[in-house]
């Protein structure tokens, strides 16, 4: 969770938080950097071993801290290095899109992309598209997101609290 907090940092409203799997998307991002392809300077990448490792709570925490956009990226579906863990990523993100919508948060603020190590161009293009979306996210939306997700987290903590018999 500390990595998420560091990635969002002080200026969450501008921030794009990217979860990139070590074997594919992170290498794709690296390729984009080596090729000097233009990328938004306000993106912060968190390297994970697999996109399947990106828990819902990490994504929700990034939004609660004020991130404007979150990208989850990993290997193409047949190429996951942990058998088919990224098919769980797809299901998790599907669930989150529904949940965000129910909470009045635009689901498109969470993006999912499969990007291989050889797709530096694609990584740079996706980042530019996300930066364009980021510019449409208003301060009010971010405030709403922060408030709603903080309330959800508190409700969850109360639900999980062990009950003591009188
Ligand atoms: S190792 Fe890249 S998505 Fe699983």
């Amino acid at each position: 969770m500390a990595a998420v907090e560091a990635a969002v940092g002080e200026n969450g409203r501008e921030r794009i938080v990217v979860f990139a799997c070590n074997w594919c998307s992170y290498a794709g991002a690296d390729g984009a950097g080596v090729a000097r392809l233009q990328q938004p300077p306000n993106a912060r990448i968190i390297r994970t071993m697999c996109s399947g490792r990106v828990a819902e709570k990490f994504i929700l925490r990034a939004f609660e801290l004020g991130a404007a956009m979150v990208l989850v990226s990993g290997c193409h579906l047949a190429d996951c290095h942990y058998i088919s863990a990224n098919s769980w990523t797809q299901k998790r993100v599907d669930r989150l899109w529904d949940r965000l919508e129910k909470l009045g948060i635009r689901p498109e603020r969470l993006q999912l992309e499969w990007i291989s190590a050889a797709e530096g161009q694609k990584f740079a293009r996706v980042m530019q598209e996300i930066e364009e979306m980021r510019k449409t996210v208003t301060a009010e939306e971010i405030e709403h997101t922060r408030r709603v997700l903080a309330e959800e987290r508190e409700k969850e903590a109360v639900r999980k609290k062990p009950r003591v018999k009188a």
Side-chain angles (χ1 to χ4, degrees):
M1 216 62 114
V4 175
E5 283 160 24
V8 177
E10 303 274 293
N11 200 3
R13 195 180 157 202
E14 308 273 307
R15 193 65 76 217
I16 301 168
V17 174
V18 179
F19 294 94
C21 93
N22 180 58
W23 305 102
C24 292
S25 306
Y26 192 84
D30 207 30
V34 170
R36 295 177 184 266
L37 300 172
Q38 206 186 349
Q39 291 183 64
N42 46 338
R44 295 289 178 276
I45 300 183
I46 299 173
R47 181 175 7 186
T48 62
M49 289 312 284
C50 174
S51 68
R53 178 70 183 85
V54 183
E56 289 183 26
K57 65 180 176 186
F58 298 154
I59 297 168
L60 293 174
R61 185 70 181 143
F63 282 129
E64 188 190 335
L65 290 167
M69 298 289 299
V70 174
L71 168 65
V72 177
S73 59
C75 310
H76 288 272
L77 282 172
D79 298 338
C80 178
H81 286 56
Y82 300 90
I83 310 173
S84 57
N86 56 359
S87 65
W88 292 103
T89 311
Q90 176 78 67
K91 289 186 181 118
R92 190 174 298 142
V93 170
D94 279 342
R95 266 200 313 274
L96 271 174
W97 279 330
D98 286 346
R99 187 164 167 194
L100 292 175
E101 190 152 39
K102 281 184 192 130
L103 293 171
I105 299 165
R106 272 198 287 161
E108 59 266 33
R109 287 176 57 200
L110 169 61
Q111 293 285 315
L112 173 65
E113 289 284 349
W114 309 127
I115 302 171
S116 79
E119 292 178 314
Q121 296 264 6
K122 179 176 179 183
F123 185 87
R125 176 178 52 74
V126 164
M127 291 310 298
Q128 287 301 334
E129 288 168 1
I130 289 177
E131 170 61 359
E132 289 310 309
M133 280 185 236
R134 198 275 307 162
K135 290 178 188 162
T136 71
V137 180
T138 64
E140 290 73 27
E141 275 184 274
I142 289 180
E143 243 349 277
H144 168 82
T145 304
R146 296 185 70 149
R147 185 171 40 77
V148 166
L149 291 180
E151 287 167 6
E152 284 283 299
R153 192 167 43 76
E154 277 163 29
K155 277 190 232 161
E156 186 75 19
V158 170
R159 266 199 302 273
K160 284 186 178 162
K161 208 171 174 183
R163 294 195 186 161
V164 182
K165 273 193 177 173

